[in-house]
């Protein structure tokens, strides 16, 4: 089966107006489109007897991540297609669920944030929808939650984003959603309802059919509702509620023209699990929490006799570097369901609407035009006033993207050389307003052995206090967000902005085939940005001036790639990939802040990768072995008025990934990945990593030290924190002719240090999961058993690539114990 990741250009809209632009994908399981460089494949008529065993599905498939359809054996990247069947096997509902399929995907907590994109090879993985960027996300956080129920399949790809799709940030990979496509043959539909532990209830209806007697027009409609979800609901006062409506239309007026449209509206209301404060090794190993009441805060010392600064009793906000004073108590047991956000004052909401139109016009057997247009509207509000005052608000965000892709296969003039050319022009316009208030988002003042109340929150800082000698930084002012009573933001923090930008990107890719064994992939792209950014509405005039004002920027960012491949044997291929490119730093929701200088628009990244792929046992067993080294820049925490929002980073590793499908009864996926990541703070003007608390809570209790200080460590090279080195996965499914079946999957990863002192460590962990099911043509019943050995394990609050890692000694995250979910599905 084949898939096509379509592209577009805004200049093509006039050319294609008569075609009512839509999209080209028509495989029932992978939304495939006709081959881009040849006539559509004509399948022979086949007679199937009821007692004849169906041939097994291939262990690996065809992918279009490079434009033309290629066997995964000949694609110079690690590519993992995840089918609808596989998504249903684990009941995938969030990006962390993808860890079951690939050792490149790493689970992350992103404490207090919404995880909107998966982590691949230790870095954020950019999300795409049928080949077009899903905007409004930065570092894998804050963006719209993906709705897997609207997808026929996913492609998980490692390494920087391809030349055709185009990069947005330093990424360890990317995920392309291939959305559900209409049925042209007949009416089809199914509906399911699930219920489970911790008040998890979900429901879905999915229907589609052709329209008219000629069957040239068809539709697909999917509605998904969710009231609670166990990985959220298990924790005190945490929840996830969703409503998602998806509609797709496809039109095939002629053999040469195919047009699709899809649209979706999502409403998400949730409160993430934020973890447990004051993590120590005793908390990780024995569940013992370091108690102690908040009694005051510090300001800088008035005399040399005050080693921790000047003590102020009661509620308040310490200046950076000063911290909170705690009357420390004993270590006490704490519930595994304890949640820092166990208060009705905290909440998060999203509204997301998207419309995508794709058109494919086959001009002749060698030339095809594909136009892909995406429009997005996004609103988001994360209000977390207690106990760590944090607000992230987007009153509006509009993203319009379009890409024209011209696919050309020149006439073959030599028996030993041929080529496939894929080029075009991409366009993007984004306008949004973003408010971020988080400079004192520290939590260790809150004693979670007692109920959390508003008295556990530090107070907003007015301008008069921010310019006082103790603070001496006017940008630490907490400014009321217009239209959001009780919520505050800061400026000059590389996050708050009112921004609009244009992006124009010509690209060209040439795939040269030498004989039947050797291929050379060459590609180049240039992203031209035209940016206007200014302080968001409501910013006091006192804070706007030469140090912080509106800016206009033009930036040119090149990307180039080269990848030779060679079929050593029909069952064995070798590839190597080199990538060099520049991406940008980003604000909270993927735009640009007014204080960005040229450096932040030219963040260099490189990839060196080589690997072997094997297709064995009559193409039922696939193995991929790769080694890689990727370098780039990751964001760091920056105070308002700060100057170091990015730092260079390196990730290296080796990976084994495989699948085995010997027959229609059994399939297996498995993999192992070993990675190392480093932050390089040797060329940062004498500044090292920022950390909110430089020592565990038990050390603070032993010596009477303050917590939540926000200090900078010494320069140097620091291994990633919140970042295990080892990842492994195994998935098995067996089903009988009678309809009974069982699936089993195991996930494991190595230990991880929580912070830069490398003193507190979450040990290695694993989970064993299973489902049993019975399916007929008309109905299916399934029960899932997650973590059925009830393994209790912790991970860091934030992984090594995100600026929130600086608070990993503020909170740690206990993961889900055993839980059960059941489903009934009917088909009609």
């Amino acid at each position: 089966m084949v898939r096509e990741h379509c592209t577009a250009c805004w200049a093509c809209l006039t050319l294609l107006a008569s075609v009512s632009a839509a999209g080209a994908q028509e495989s029932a399981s992978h939304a495939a489109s006709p081959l881009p460089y040849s006539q559509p494949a004509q399948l022979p008529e086949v007679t199937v007897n009821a007692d004849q065993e169906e041939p097994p599905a291939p262990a690996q498939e065809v992918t279009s991540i490079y434009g033309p359809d290629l066997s995964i054996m000949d694609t110079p990247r690690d590519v993992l297609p995840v089918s609808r069947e596989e998504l249903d096997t684990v009941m995938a509902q969030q990006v962390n669920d993808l860890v079951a399929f690939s050792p490149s995907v790493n689970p992350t907590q992103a404490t207090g944030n919404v995880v909107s994109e998966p982590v691949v090879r230790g870095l954020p993985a950019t999300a795409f929808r049928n080949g077009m960027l899903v905007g409004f996300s930065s570092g894998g956080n804050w963006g719209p939650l993906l709705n897997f129920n609207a997808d026929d399949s996913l492609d998980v790809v490692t390494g920087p984003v391809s030349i055709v799709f185009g990069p947005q940030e330093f990424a360890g990979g990317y995920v392309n959603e291939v959305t559900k496509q209409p049925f042209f043959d007949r009416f089809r539909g199914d509906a399911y309802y699930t219920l489970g532990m911790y008040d998890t209830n979900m429901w879905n209806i999915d229907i589609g059919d052709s329209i008219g007697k000629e069957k040239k027009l068809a539709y697909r409609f999917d509605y998904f509702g969710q009231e609670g979800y166990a990985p959220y609901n298990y924790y005190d006062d945490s929840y996830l509620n969703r409503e998602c409506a998806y509609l797709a239309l496809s039109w095939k007026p002629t053999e040469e023209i195919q047009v699709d449209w899809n649209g979706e509206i999502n409403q998400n209301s949730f409160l993430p699990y934020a973890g447990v404060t004051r993590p120590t090794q005793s908390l990780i190993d024995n569940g013992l929490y370091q108690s102690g009441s908040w009694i005051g805060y510090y300001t800088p010392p008035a005399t040399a006799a005050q080693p921790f600064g000047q003590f102020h009793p009661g509620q308040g906000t310490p200046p950076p570097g000063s911290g909170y004073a705690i009357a420390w108590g004993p270590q006490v047991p704490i519930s595994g369901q304890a949640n820092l956000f166990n208060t009705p004052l905290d909440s998060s909401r999203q509204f997301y609407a998207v419309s995508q139109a794709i058109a494919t016009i086959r001009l002749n057997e060698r030339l095809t035009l594909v136009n892909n247009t995406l429009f997005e509207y996004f609103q988001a509000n994360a209000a977390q006033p207690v106990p760590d005052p944090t607000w992230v608000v987007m009153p509006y965000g509009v993203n319009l993207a379009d890409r024209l892709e011209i696919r050309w296969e020149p006439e073959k003039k030599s028996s030993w050389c041929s080529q496939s050319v894929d080029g075009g022009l991409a366009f993007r316009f984004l306008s949004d307003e973003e408010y971020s208030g988080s400079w004192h988002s520290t939590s260790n003042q809150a004693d979670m052995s007692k109920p959390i109340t508003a008295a556990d929150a530090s107070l907003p800082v007015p301008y008069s206090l921010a310019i006082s000698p103790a603070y001496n930084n006017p940008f630490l002012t907490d400014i009321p967000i217009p239209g959001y009573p009780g919520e505050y933001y800061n400026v000059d923090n590389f996050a708050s902005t009112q921004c609009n930008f244009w992006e124009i990107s010509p690209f060209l890719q040439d795939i040269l085939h030498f004989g039947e064994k050797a291929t050379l992939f060459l590609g180049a792209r240039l992203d031209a940005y035209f940016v206007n950014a200014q302080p968001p509405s409501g910013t006091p005039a006192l804070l706007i001036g030469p140090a912080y004002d509106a800016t206009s920027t033009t930036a040119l960012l090149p990307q180039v790639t080269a990848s030779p491949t060679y079929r050593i044997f029909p069952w064995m291929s070798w590839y190597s990939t080199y990538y060099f490119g520049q991406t940008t730093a980003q604000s909270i929701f993927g735009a640009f802040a007014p204080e960005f200088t040229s450096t932040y628009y030219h963040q260099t990244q490189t990839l060196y990768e080589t690997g072997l792929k094997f297709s064995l046992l009559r193409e039922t067993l696939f193995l991929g072995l790769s080694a890689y080294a990727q370098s780039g820049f990751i964001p760091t925490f920056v105070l308002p008025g700060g100057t170091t929002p990015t730092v260079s980073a390196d990730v290296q590793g080796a990976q084994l990934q495989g699948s085995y499908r010997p027959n229609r009864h059994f399939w297996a996926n498995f993999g192992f990945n070993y990675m190392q990541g480093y932050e390089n703070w040797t060329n940062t003007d004498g500044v090292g990593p920022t950390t909110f608390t430089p020592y565990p809570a038990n050390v603070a209790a032993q010596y009477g030290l303050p917590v939540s200080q926000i200090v900078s460590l010494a320069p140097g090279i620091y291994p990633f924190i919140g970042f295990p080195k080892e990842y492994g996965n195994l998935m098995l499914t067996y089903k009988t002719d009678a309809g009974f079946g069982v699936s089993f999957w195991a996930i494991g990863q190595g230990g991880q240090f929580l912070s830069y002192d490398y003193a507190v460590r979450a040990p290695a962990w694993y989970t064993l999961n299973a489902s049993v099911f019975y399916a007929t043509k008309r109905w299916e019943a399934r029960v899932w058993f997650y973590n059925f050995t009830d393994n209790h394990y912790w991970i860091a609050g934030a992984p090594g690539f995100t600026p929130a890692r600086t608070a990993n000694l503020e909170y740690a995250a206990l993961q889900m114990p055993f839980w059960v979910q059941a489903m009934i599905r009917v088909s009609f």
Side-chain angles (χ1 to χ4, degrees), residues 514-597:
F514 302 99
E516 296 183 355
K517 291 188 174 183
T519 303
L520 178 62
F521 293 73
L522 299 173
R525 182 185 178 103
L526 182 67
D527 293 330
Y529 285 92
F530 305 91
V531 180
N532 292 293
Q534 63 187 25
S537 303
T539 303
L542 289 169
L543 297 177
I544 300 176
Y548 179 69
D549 204 348
T551 57
S552 295
T553 304
T554 300
L556 299 178
L557 282 67
Q559 295 101 40
V560 295
T561 186
S563 302
T565 69
Y566 187 75
R567 277 281 185 135
I568 302 173
F569 303 106
W571 48 268
M572 178 181 179
S573 65
W574 166 86
Y575 75 91
S576 183
T577 292
Y578 170 75
Y579 175 96
F580 170 88
Q582 291 185 337
T583 58
T584 64
Q586 296 179 308
S587 57
I588 290 290
F589 289 105
F592 307 107
E595 57 268 46
F596 279 16
T597 63

Side-chain angles (χ1 to χ4, degrees), residues 171-304:
Y174 55 103
V175 174
N176 184 50
E177 296 182 276
V178 182
T179 59
K180 289 180 176 178
Q181 297 299 296
F183 302 118
F184 278 87
D185 57 347
R186 63 176 177 85
F187 176 80
R188 299 171 184 264
D190 67 51
Y192 73 75
Y193 185 84
T194 77
L195 54 87
M197 295 173 64
Y198 309 113
D199 297 322
T200 299
N201 297 280
M202 295 180 286
W203 53 94
N204 175 259
I205 184 169
D206 178 10
I207 59 175
D209 195 4
S210 60
I211 301 174
K213 294 182 180 180
E214 294 182 350
K215 294 190 176 183
K216 293 185 177 181
L217 179 65
Y219 75 93
R220 184 85 171 266
F221 174 77
D222 185 278
Y223 169 76
F224 171 73
Q226 180 171 322
E227 190 175 85
Y229 184 47
Y232 282 71
N233 288 33
Y234 170 74
Y235 306 100
D236 295 336
D237 209 45
S238 189
Y239 60 92
L240 173 61
N241 299 329
R242 305 192 69 186
E243 285 193 284
C244 308
Y246 169 84
L247 177 66
L249 299 172
S250 291
W251 181 43
K252 302 178 182 178
T254 69
E255 290 277 334
E256 292 76 25
I257 297 175
Q258 181 174 335
V259 295
D260 281 352
W261 172 89
N262 71 79
E264 187 173 354
I265 296 177
N266 297 343
Q267 282 196 328
N268 307 316
S269 176
F270 55 93
L271 187 64
Y273 165 53
V276 178
T277 60
R278 305 176 183 176
T280 65
Q281 202 63 50
S282 293
L283 177 67
I284 301 296
D285 295 340
N286 305 309
L288 296 177
Y289 179 78
Q290 178 61 62
S291 67
S293 299
W294 175 24
I295 59 174
Y297 64 98
Y298 295 98
T299 57
T303 68

